Amino acid sequence: MALSRGLRCCQRVFSWIPVLIITSVVLWSYYAYVFELCLFTLTNTLEKVAYLLVFHVCFVMFSWTYWKSIFTPPASPCKKFQLSYSDKQRYEMEERPDAQKQILVEIAKKLPIFTRAQSGAIRFCDRCQVLKPDRCHHCSVCETCVLKMDHHCPWVNNCVGFSNYKFFLLFLSYSMLYCVFIAATVFQYFLKFWVGDLPNGPAKFHVLFLMFVALMFFVSLMFLFGYHCWLVAKNRSTLEAFSAPVFVAGPDRNGFNVGIRRNLQQVFGEDRRLWFIPVFTSQGNGHYFPLKNRSSESRNPLLANEDMWEESDDGSEDGGLVEDQDPSVTIEMGE
């Protein structure tokens, strides 16, 4: 037990190494740009002030979005999807697998679940003891089920999902802007140092490497950001792009695609003035998502509108919502 705890502690420490690498590179770029380029190399005061002003705006937005991507906790299923004390006790005391499955079926009747496992079973996480909401997956690194999980990103040491997906997209976009601005403003001085028009000194090393690093990061970020823009337009997560979500009628990669405008609003919200600010504006609560084919929702009128399914103010387990689902469906005992 002590060895296992020690290994987990070491894993948590080492998981911060990618974040420390990014932080170190960014802090060095700040020093190289502000001091070596702007303060020690530039001679035009107006150019110096303009460069410093725009640079710090880009730097602040980059740092803000990176911070939010790292330290926003991944959202987990609410208590309605967890087994209550009585249900858990009844489930553990029951020795017959079929009876255990039936207990979980009864719990699932109260929940807005439309996706299934690959086998067609209702998705149940035996580690977290929760029925998985649509688009929810268990992260083995974070050791929890994450709402609308996209992927676990080592560069932010966090799961990217419902609670921070907007922040992650903004982090990618402001990272690209940061790199583009540095490359565009450093380019002329990069050439001057390269051909020898400017004297050799510490600034030469910093400016040359600043150009290379900015271009290298920009190219890698461009492909990643473009891929996630495509995912947002299609309303898919990275996991769903590789493995299509399964519904009662079968797998459907476009099951949650409700049009580009509504897809964008699900991530960024309806107020476009807040789209580029790292504050949470995503729609919904992460437990329910509108479907492209609303016929399955229309068969269940209480679940057709997510506003009619909310956690009650008194924190009760069922919230008074009871709606029948197909009792013949089975439960998958896995992640």
Side-chain angles (χ1 to χ4, degrees), residues 3 18 46 59 66 73 110 141 220 227 284 300:
L3 179 61
L46 182 61
F59 180 80
Y66 192 41
K110 310 171 185 178
V141 179
S220 59
Y227 176 67
N300 195 337

Side-chain angles (χ1 to χ4, degrees), residues 1 9 17 24 48 63 76 101 105 124 168 188 215 229 267 277 285 291 299 302 312 315-316:
M1 182 66 69
C9 182
I17 291 179
S24 300
K48 184 183 300 186
S63 302
S76 300
K101 294 177 181 179
V105 168
F124 177 74
F168 179 74
Q188 60 174 317
L215 288 177
C229 287
V267 177
I277 306 298
N285 56 15
L291 304 178
R299 291 196 300 268
L302 284 178
S312 57
S316 62

Side-chain angles (χ1 to χ4, degrees), residues 24-90:
S24 300
V25 172
V26 172
L27 291 177
W28 165 78
S29 70
Y30 183 91
Y31 167 79
Y33 192 91
V34 172
F35 291 93
E36 296 295 343
L37 177 68
C38 292
L39 298 183
F40 301 154
T41 303
L42 296 183
T43 56
N44 188 308
T45 304
L46 182 61
E47 183 182 25
K48 184 183 300 186
V49 172
Y51 281 12
L52 287 173
L53 180 62
V54 178
F55 172 82
H56 278 91
V57 171
C58 296
F59 180 80
V60 168
M61 296 307 296
F62 164 82
S63 302
W64 189 4
T65 55
Y66 192 41
W67 176 276
K68 296 285 283 187
S69 298
I70 295 173
F71 295 106
T72 300
S76 300
C78 68
K79 292 182 179 180
K80 289 180 179 295
F81 289 83
Q82 299 174 359
L83 296 180
S84 65
Y85 177 78
S86 58
D87 289 333
K88 186 176 182 180
Q89 191 175 41
R90 186 160 58 103

Side-chain angles (χ1 to χ4, degrees), residues 295-307:
S295 60
S296 58
E297 296 178 84
S298 62
R299 291 196 300 268
N300 195 337
L302 284 178
L303 303 183
N305 185 348
E306 70 266 35
D307 293 335

Side-chain angles (χ1 to χ4, degrees), residues 147-158:
L147 296 179
K148 196 189 175 184
M149 179 177 174
D150 187 88
H151 68 288
H152 185 91
C153 180
W155 299 109
V156 300
N157 192 28
N158 198 4

Side-chain angles (χ1 to χ4, degrees), residues 174-245:
Y174 284 119
S175 299
M176 289 179 58
L177 181 63
Y178 184 74
C179 293
V180 167
F181 177 77
I182 288 177
T185 54
V186 165
F187 182 68
Q188 60 174 317
Y189 299 98
F190 168 84
L191 293 178
K192 291 180 180 180
F193 276 119
W194 189 267
V195 299
D197 290 345
L198 290 176
N200 291 332
K204 179 178 180 179
F205 166 81
H206 290 286
V207 170
L208 292 179
F209 271 87
L210 197 59
M211 184 70 185
F212 285 122
V213 171
L215 288 177
M216 179 184 68
F217 274 92
F218 171 74
V219 172
S220 59
L221 288 167
M222 179 179 63
F223 288 105
L224 183 60
F225 180 69
Y227 176 67
H228 277 279
C229 287
W230 178 78
L231 290 178
V232 172
K234 296 291 185 180
N235 205 339
R236 300 176 192 170
S237 66
T238 299
L239 295 175
E240 291 166 353
F242 285 95
S243 179

Side-chain angles (χ1 to χ4, degrees), residues 7-20 154 157:
L7 291 175
R8 283 199 300 267
C9 182
C10 291
Q11 182 183 15
R12 290 173 182 172
V13 171
F14 285 121
S15 65
W16 285 101
I17 291 179
V19 176
L20 293 177
N157 192 28

